[in-house]
Amino acid sequence: MKYRVTSRLPTTLICVVVLLRIAGGAEPLPSVLLGGIGNVANTATNFLTGVVQRQKELLHRVTDIAAEYITNAVERPRNLLINATRMTTGVIDSAASKGLEFKLRRFLEKFRARMRNGIPELGIPPLEPFTLDEIDIDTDNPEIGKVNLVIENLELRKLSTFLIDRAKLSLIGPTISINISIPEIFATGYYNITGILGDMYPLRGAGPFETTVRDFRVYVNTVLGYARGMYMKRFDLDFSLRAIKIYLENFMGGEKIGQIMSKVFEELTPEAMDIIKPDILPPIQDYVASQVNETIHHLNMRDLFRVLLGEYEFGDITHFLIP
Ligand SMILES: *[C@@H]1O[C@H](CO)[C@@H](O)[C@H](O)[C@H]1NC(C)=O
Ligand SMILES: *[C@@H]1O[C@H](CO)[C@@H](O)[C@H](O)[C@H]1NC(C)=O
Ligand SMILES: *[C@@H]1O[C@H](CO)[C@@H](O)[C@H](O)[C@H]1NC(C)=O
Ligand SMILES: *[C@@H]1O[C@H](CO)[C@@H](O)[C@H](O)[C@H]1NC(C)=O
């Protein structure tokens, strides 16, 4: 699997279109004659415009009345139906949400137990440890600088120790909202960094690395949709971490300055994360969304609830869902 992240400052493209209108040289004609022709033409045009305009207005009025009639005949009952469905769904939703929350938690716990071997029936590969062949992060950020970071053979351990802080499943949408936290993640791999930090410090280094992330929190909110298969109509993702420990072998040629830079980066991590998040979050979000989309697209609403809640526990309630 190869994961490419590229973010650059927007390139400004300025298009200027200049229209030159050049008046052609008209033959000189007596102005009285010209005026006379002009008057006749204007009167005729006004007459014709008037006729056409009146007919158009008449036609519009007929169309408007017909449209209004049809709208009232069709729209009103439709609205009533939608409102009724929405109300019913709302009642069911609030009544069921406690039970749903419990079931969503149970699903996440089952999922956690299966992270080591993956879930072949859903095409999900083993996630403990989680591995990625290559990540290429290219950032050109005025506050950080121009940095290229390539990470190879990334391995993340302990993802399956996640704790569920909040799990909400609503029938409206349906919407799934989850907060999880992972007390500690252990990452290893090979890195290669080049670039200029803040227009001043050249960065260089390549070799193995080890990183420990503490108190990693993830928030996911998704609204699901159905169009010839399930997909994520909306997907919000956010994350934060409290602390990070980094060991980069051979960073800055193994000199003292490299150790100092790593220390500074460790100290600054929560703030630095906030600065680079706008650059790195959208591509991560797209990557996760496309992976999840691919996983769920062959399911229908009922399959999905079966997967989330266990066999048949939802019965025929799914037809209440508003598309
Ligand atoms: C449906 O509900 C909306 C507001 O939720 C309301 O404005 C509208 O009048 C309702 N329609 C009907 C037909 O009751
Ligand atoms: C690191 O990347 C640079 C440029 O991207 C490349 O020239 C260099 O060979 C790489 N180093 C290693 C050890 O792969
Ligand atoms: C869930 O995450 C959101 C977004 O980061 C945050 O605002 C909210 O407080 C979190 N809730 C819990 C219970 O952790
Ligand atoms: C998921 O797939 C659908 C349908 O192909 C697409 O419209 C949607 O943008 C995708 N969602 C995300 C969050 O990428």
Side-chain angles (χ1 to χ4, degrees):
M1 203 180 320
K2 186 161 165 158
Y3 170 36
R4 181 167 297 276
V5 180
T6 308
S7 90
R8 294 195 188 287
L9 286 181
T11 319
T12 316
L13 179 71
I14 304 167
C15 270
V16 182
V17 180
V18 181
L19 286 177
L20 276 181
R21 191 165 171 193
I22 304 159
E27 286 291 311
L29 278 177
S31 64
V32 180
L33 184 58
L34 276 180
I37 293 172
N39 280 346
V40 172
N42 278 344
T43 313
T45 311
N46 284 347
F47 176 75
L48 283 175
T49 314
V51 171
V52 172
Q53 193 55 38
R54 267 191 298 282
Q55 287 194 345
K56 248 199 211 158
E57 277 166 16
L58 206 72
L59 200 65
H60 276 168
R61 211 169 314 142
V62 172
T63 324
D64 282 351
I65 291 168
E68 202 176 308
Y69 178 78
I70 292 169
T71 309
N72 278 340
V74 176
E75 271 309 299
R76 197 138 346 113
R78 205 176 87 97
N79 278 346
L80 219 78
L81 196 68
I82 290 176
N83 281 5
T85 316
R86 215 163 257 165
M87 267 159 62
T88 318
T89 312
V91 171
I92 292 171
D93 192 50
S94 58
S97 64
K98 266 274 165 280
L100 291 181
E101 181 174 330
F102 173 75
K103 285 174 176 166
L104 182 59
R105 277 176 183 270
R106 204 181 52 187
F107 164 77
L108 289 170
E109 271 148 24
K110 275 193 222 159
F111 179 80
R112 174 169 47 208
R114 297 192 62 180
M115 282 173 79
R116 196 167 291 279
N117 298 315
I119 308 177
E121 61 266 39
L122 288 178
I124 297 174
L127 299 169
E128 177 66 86
F130 176 81
T131 57
L132 269 182
D133 294 342
E134 186 177 328
I135 305 176
D136 190 351
I137 299 173
D138 235 328
T139 194
D140 192 353
N141 181 312
E143 287 175 84
I144 297 205
K146 204 168 152 54
V147 178
N148 173 251
L149 172 66
V150 178
I151 294 174
E152 284 175 340
N153 299 333
L154 174 69
E155 192 174 281
L156 300 178
R157 291 186 180 276
K158 298 199 192 176
L159 293 183
S160 66
T161 60
F162 69 81
L163 306 168
I164 304 158
D165 301 324
R166 179 168 156 268
K168 191 166 169 6
L169 172 61
S170 163
L171 285 184
I172 296 171
T175 307
I176 297 173
S177 197
I178 298 169
N179 287 54
I180 59 167
S181 53
I182 307 175
E184 193 174 74
I185 300 172
F186 189 59
T188 55
Y190 288 86
Y191 79 98
N192 184 351
I193 194 165
T194 47
I196 302 211
L197 193 63
D199 270 346
M200 269 186 283
Y201 301 104
L203 289 180
R204 70 198 154 83
F209 76 91
E210 283 178 22
T211 299
T212 308
V213 174
R214 297 245 154 71
D215 198 11
F216 187 72
R217 287 169 189 267
V218 184
Y219 164 76
V220 173
N221 181 66
T222 180
V223 179
L224 300 171
Y226 184 84
R228 278 172 288 136
M230 297 299 302
Y231 72 104
M232 295 202 289
K233 220 188 285 182
R234 196 186 145 165
F235 178 59
D236 304 314
L237 175 74
D238 194 16
F239 68 85
S240 66
L241 55 93
R242 190 168 50 81
I244 194 164
K245 276 257 164 281
I246 304 166
Y247 172 69
L248 303 172
E249 197 170 305
N250 198 32
F251 181 47
M252 305 300 286
E255 290 162 28
K256 188 101 189 130
I257 180 75
Q259 287 166 31
I260 294 170
M261 277 184 158
S262 298
K263 265 268 144 322
V264 170
F265 185 73
E266 284 175 6
E267 295 290 321
L268 284 177
T269 300
E271 292 86 347
M273 259 309 152
D274 285 344
I275 295 173
I276 60 174
K277 220 188 320 188
D279 279 345
I280 62 172
L281 194 53
I284 293 175
Q285 201 162 322
D286 286 351
Y287 172 77
V288 176
S290 67
Q291 295 287 315
V292 175
N293 254 358
E294 206 173 292
T295 304
I296 65 176
H297 92 268
H298 60 276
L299 301 177
N300 61 34
M301 197 74 88
R302 189 189 290 253
D303 293 333
L304 189 84
F305 278 112
R306 260 184 222 168
V307 171
L308 283 178
L309 307 174
E311 274 289 322
Y312 289 113
E313 298 185 71
F314 246 65
D316 278 322
I317 205 174
T318 45
H319 69 263
F320 275 113
L321 298 169
I322 298 167

